[in-house]
Amino acid sequence: MIIYLHGFDSTSPGNHEKVLQLKFIDDDVRFINYSTLHPKHDMQHLLKEVDKAIQQSDDPSPVICGVGLGGYWSERIGFLCGIKQVIFNPNLHPEENMHGKIDRPEEYEDIATKCVTQFRTKNQGRCLVILSRNDEFLDNLKTMSELSDYYDIIWDDEQSHKFKKISHHLKAVNAFKCDQ
């Protein structure tokens, strides 16, 4: 099973395309929608929905996957639910770069302080990070610097922030998913 979390733009047709591409790895791809506007509510909702999906599945190696803001949530929710994560161009600091787009960006700071201390150390090796060199929204060199001590990083030379085409990375995602 692959759980897919969209980025800030939940209505983008690219979400459907990514779900279809992920189906080449696993027929059971579950799209979980969340508001993106209310971080504390989103976290509670995502924890509940991801836990429910895990309980309903008999997959011994489920994975949660997200792009942008979905990558932010996939890393945290996946860690808290005990499953591997694959994150594309994760927005690691929405509290800094989403002012004016969400109601309470400061809630992300509160979430960070309430999450398990040093969670990336405890999550080491359980997340695969795929970054585009052409991300027009995030500084992925900064993202790499923040995550490379904990997770493997794969660079993409073609995709933009929304990562419309993930097919080049499906083999790596599948290997990561199936590696026990």
Side-chain angles (χ1 to χ4, degrees), residues 94-141:
E95 72 279 4
E96 295 173 4
N97 58 37
M98 295 193 71
H99 286 276
K101 293 181 178 181
I102 59 177
D103 287 347
R104 296 179 288 274
E106 68 279 359
E107 287 185 3
Y108 284 107
E109 293 177 60
D110 191 46
I111 288 166
T113 62
K114 291 201 171 28
C115 201
V116 177
T117 57
Q118 299 178 344
F119 87 95
R120 287 190 176 125
T121 300
K122 296 170 183 168
N123 196 42
Q124 193 158 4
R126 302 213 13 101
C127 183
L128 177 64
V129 182
I130 303 174
L131 302 174
S132 68
R133 295 191 194 278
N134 300 316
D135 191 321
E136 69 283 8
F137 182 67
L138 300 171
D139 179 352
N140 278 337
L141 290 175

Side-chain angles (χ1 to χ4, degrees), residues 18 21 31 85 96 120 135 137 140 156 159 164:
K18 284 186 269 297
Q21 291 173 59
F31 180 90
Q85 313 101 50
E96 295 173 4
R120 287 190 176 125
D135 191 321
F137 182 67
N140 278 337
D156 183 285
Q159 297 303 303
K164 184 176 180 181

